[in-house]
Amino acid sequence: MLISLSIRDIVLIDALDLDFSEGLGVLTGETGAGKSILLDALGLALGARADSGLVRPDSKQGIVTACFSLPTGHALYSYLQQNALTVEEGEPLIIRRVVKADGGSRALLNDQPISVSLLREVASDLIEIHGQHDERGLLNPRSHRLLLDNFGHIDISPVSKAYHYWQETEKALEKALSLKEEREQDKEWLEHAVQELIAFAPQEGEETALADERTTLQKGARLAEDMEAIGQWLDGHDGALTLLRQAGRRLGRISFEHPTLAEALESLDKALNEAGDASEKLGHTAMMLDNDPVRLDGIEARLFDLRALARKHRIAPDELPAFTKGLQDKLDQIESGEQGIALLLAENKSARDNYQQAAEKLHLLRQKSAELFDKAVMDELPPLKMEAAKFQTRIEKLEASQWGADGCDRVEFTISTNPGADFAPLMKIASGGELSRFMLALKVVLAGAEGTETIIFDEIDQGVGGAVASAIGERLARLSENSQLLVITHSPQVAARAAQHWLIRKHHSQLSSKNAFSTRTEVKSLNWEERQEEIARMLSGAEVTDEARAQARRLLRH
């Protein structure tokens, strides 16, 4: 609800403070008194384009401040928090718009800077203005589906749940198909790589084991070469043992010739025994050495191939067994993927079918609701002097690509204002007066189905009088039981229904210099006697008669 409006230095308004209450409030005054200025000022607070021409002459800036109250739990509090604006639950919203005379503007919400685009979003939940050229609110076809659902108390949650589940299966299927396509491109390579790796059969820790065994075999090969040479030196044809034996045999033949020769022979026998022992130990050691050239060649070839395979796949040799398993798993997934995709396809089809069934039920509910809604609107039109007009809610099924969480229907309110004329969208109604009255009929029917707290009607009674004006006043009063209404009117029948009444007028004052005048727009809140006089003026014109005053009293007591 709009609590107050403060205007400073806007066009002809130098300072104005208005306080508002619940129910129906009206603003009256002579044509040209400045009612449009008031709406322009309020429009600024609601995010309208800031024109420096709105700033009062000789002022540096103009300021408009609008204060709103919201019921506890209103969705707007959460929306503001989502947009990094701190407003406590139950705290009033204070919107301030500053327009500079040299261009530029800024907007504040509870003293926090806010963009104009966000301000418009916020304002759309606070207030709705219907005027001669209004193209918001009920004229916007995007709101018609929600309004029809609210009118018929239609629960769309089954459709919403079915839609979101269907979309989840769509995403899962799309992901599976995309993954399958990627894997299919790699299938040939995977098959070759897995076949090669399985054939090679790398083992965990194999590189270290092969390297250790190769080192042992290489050491054995080196020792074997040395011992073979030593063996030749000892046991060969010209080896040391052969020569020692020859020397022993010859020394034995002459050892009796001299005592020392016998001693020499004894020493030589010992040398032969020691050399023999050495030869036996060399032979035994050669038998014990791990010296297998064929095995060594095989190990070196295996180690070379193992490391080459690891380099090929850009991993460490010890990672080859796990890598082999990973590739085998991917290949298995490709081969089993068709079965998984088949299951996802079936699940997706079932989810789509469930959504379509729920959407079709919703479509039928909307058709029934539309019949009741159309009849209710049609019943409101004759008293508003729109007997020839016809209203129709058009429900069309959308293409599959446009289906959503709120169903597969496009809903639009249409009207035919003349007999035989085709139905057309609301915003194509030519007459501003007809449009405002039609908006009133819709508002009366939709009372309680919308979330807007405050509604403004600008000259809804244009071009009508008598019984029609009374009907408009009666409907405005009825509508104000659920919403705060502000109406700019020229109709005494409408003005008499108000809980609050303001008079808008121009005030001219002469300045100190000769022939110079200052013009200001003033707004005065009227008491009961002042309202009687204003309504009498509206009834009789420039000269207020006693008869007009009497009629004004009758209207006020209605």
Side-chain angles (χ1 to χ4, degrees):
M1 185 183 82
L2 179 63
I3 299 174
S4 64
L5 180 67
S6 175
I7 304 172
R8 295 292 184 272
D9 297 318
I10 296 294
V11 194
L12 299 178
I13 300 175
D14 55 356
L16 177 62
D17 295 294
L18 296 177
D19 293 322
F20 301 93
S21 64
E22 297 179 351
L24 175 61
V26 299
L27 297 96
T28 63
E30 297 283 358
T31 300
K35 296 185 290 293
S36 62
I37 298 174
L38 204 62
L39 285 181
D40 288 341
L42 181 58
L44 278 176
L46 302 178
R49 180 177 176 273
D51 186 348
S52 59
L54 291 172
V55 180
R56 195 168 68 92
D58 301 326
S59 296
K60 294 182 179 180
Q61 64 181 23
I63 304 174
V64 180
T65 305
C67 181
F68 295 87
S69 67
L70 293 177
T72 303
H74 197 286
L76 196 52
Y77 286 117
S78 175
Y79 180 73
L80 292 172
Q81 290 179 354
Q82 293 170 13
N83 286 275
L85 291 168
T86 304
V87 181
E88 295 295 331
E89 187 89 4
E91 181 181 358
L93 302 185
I94 302 174
I95 298 172
R96 181 173 292 108
R97 190 81 181 277
V98 181
V99 184
K100 296 181 179 179
D102 57 359
S105 72
R106 58 193 178 98
L108 302 169
L109 191 151
N110 288 31
D111 294 325
Q112 301 168 85
I114 182 175
S115 68
V116 175
S117 59
L118 180 56
L119 175 58
R120 292 193 193 102
E121 291 292 328
V122 172
S124 66
D125 281 340
L126 294 174
I127 196 166
E128 187 173 333
I129 300 177
H130 293 289
Q132 297 297 306
H133 305 288
D134 179 50
E135 294 184 359
R136 296 173 294 175
L138 292 176
L139 294 185
N140 189 345
R142 288 181 297 179
S143 67
H144 295 175
R145 181 168 52 197
L146 177 60
L147 291 172
L148 180 64
D149 290 345
N150 289 343
F151 171 82
H153 304 289
I154 297 175
D155 180 14
I156 68 169
S157 60
V159 173
S160 179
K161 291 178 182 177
Y163 176 78
H164 290 305
Y165 179 68
W166 171 36
Q167 293 306 298
E168 287 176 7
T169 65
E170 281 279 332
K171 291 177 182 177
L173 178 59
E174 183 180 343
K175 182 178 179 180
L177 290 173
S178 176
L179 187 61
K180 177 179 179 294
E181 184 178 352
E182 291 176 5
R183 288 174 173 172
E184 283 290 346
Q185 295 174 357
D186 297 334
K187 184 177 181 181
E188 184 177 347
W189 177 86
L190 280 171
E191 288 176 337
H192 172 75
V194 169
Q195 183 178 2
E196 180 184 39
L197 286 163
I198 289 177
F200 190 82
Q203 303 299 315
E204 188 175 351
E206 184 177 5
E207 182 192 28
T208 300
L210 288 173
D212 290 345
E213 187 177 0
R214 182 183 66 171
T215 299
T216 301
L217 288 171
Q218 286 174 337
K219 179 180 178 181
R222 289 195 304 271
L223 291 174
E225 290 177 4
D226 291 337
M227 286 187 295
E228 184 179 358
I230 294 170
Q232 288 296 323
W233 292 337
L234 286 174
D235 290 326
H237 182 266
D238 295 325
L241 283 172
T242 300
L243 294 175
L244 284 172
R245 290 188 186 101
Q246 290 176 357
R249 286 192 296 269
R250 190 150 185 177
L251 183 59
R253 288 196 295 269
I254 63 173
S255 62
F256 62 90
E257 297 287 349
H258 193 280
T260 57
L261 291 176
E263 292 176 3
L265 179 62
E266 184 179 352
S267 296
L268 185 60
D269 287 340
K270 290 180 180 179
L272 281 170
N273 289 333
E274 292 293 333
D277 288 343
S279 179
E280 288 180 7
K281 288 178 179 179
L282 286 172
H284 181 68
T285 301
M287 293 177 62
M288 292 178 65
L289 283 176
D290 194 353
N291 178 26
D292 185 347
V294 176
R295 172 64 179 165
L296 178 59
D297 289 343
I299 286 176
E300 288 185 332
R302 175 74 177 181
L303 189 59
F304 177 84
D305 291 342
L306 179 69
R307 289 171 174 172
L309 191 59
R311 286 195 301 272
K312 178 180 179 180
H313 294 291
R314 299 180 181 181
I315 58 175
D318 284 345
E319 296 175 358
L320 283 171
F323 182 71
T324 303
K325 184 179 184 307
L327 293 186
Q328 182 65 62
D329 290 343
K330 287 184 178 180
L331 193 59
D332 292 341
Q333 287 175 3
I334 292 174
E335 293 173 352
S336 63
E338 290 294 339
Q339 181 180 0
I341 289 174
L343 292 174
L344 285 173
L345 281 168
E347 185 178 11
N348 176 253
K349 183 180 182 303
S350 175
R352 179 190 171 104
D353 291 343
N354 288 339
Y355 169 78
Q356 285 185 275
Q357 292 173 8
E360 181 61 28
K361 291 180 181 178
L362 178 59
H363 175 75
L364 295 175
L365 288 174
R366 282 174 173 156
Q367 286 183 324
K368 293 179 180 179
S369 180
E371 293 177 3
L372 298 174
F373 183 63
D374 293 353
K375 183 180 184 305
V377 174
M378 288 292 292
D379 289 343
E380 291 293 326
L381 296 181
L384 298 176
K385 201 179 179 181
M386 298 182 71
E387 301 90 342
K390 293 183 179 180
F391 175 80
Q392 183 181 83
T393 301
R394 182 180 295 165
I395 302 176
E396 298 176 350
K397 288 192 174 181
L398 296 167
E399 297 291 333
S401 61
Q402 297 175 294
W403 294 352
D406 45 14
C408 54
D409 299 318
R410 177 187 290 110
V411 178
E412 185 174 11
F413 300 155
T414 64
I415 188 170
S416 169
T417 56
N418 297 303
D422 292 334
F423 284 89
L426 299 183
M427 64 177 60
K428 293 188 177 180
I429 297 174
S431 166
E434 278 187 325
L435 178 57
S436 292
R437 279 179 278 144
F438 191 76
M439 292 298 102
L440 174 60
L442 285 176
K443 286 290 183 182
V444 170
V445 174
L446 290 169
E450 298 177 274
T452 305
E453 296 290 328
T454 301
I455 307 169
I456 296 178
F457 285 101
D458 182 14
E459 298 187 4
I460 191 174
D461 49 14
Q462 184 186 37
V464 301
V468 176
S470 295
I472 292 174
E474 186 272 331
R475 280 157 177 77
L476 288 171
R478 193 197 319 167
L479 185 58
S480 68
E481 294 174 1
N482 297 306
S483 300
Q484 180 190 42
L485 260 64
L486 300 176
V487 180
I488 295 176
T489 181
H490 290 289
S491 168
Q493 290 89 343
V494 172
R497 291 276 185 172
Q500 282 185 298
H501 189 161
W502 296 273
L503 174 63
I504 304 174
R505 61 189 177 189
K506 283 183 179 179
H507 176 75
H508 304 282
S509 59
Q510 187 171 6
L511 300 177
S512 57
S513 58
K514 293 182 179 180
N515 299 322
F517 290 87
S518 171
T519 301
R520 293 183 301 166
T521 292
E522 296 178 339
V523 180
K524 177 179 174 54
S525 178
L526 304 182
N527 58 32
W528 196 90
E529 289 78 12
E530 291 169 332
R531 288 186 66 194
Q532 175 184 290
E533 195 68 15
E534 171 62 8
I535 292 173
R537 181 200 62 77
M538 297 170 71
L539 287 166
S540 61
E543 184 179 349
V544 179
T545 64
D546 291 338
E547 183 179 355
R549 291 188 179 94
Q551 178 63 16
R553 284 192 295 273
R554 284 193 291 271
L555 288 174
L556 285 168
R557 290 168 179 162
H558 189 277

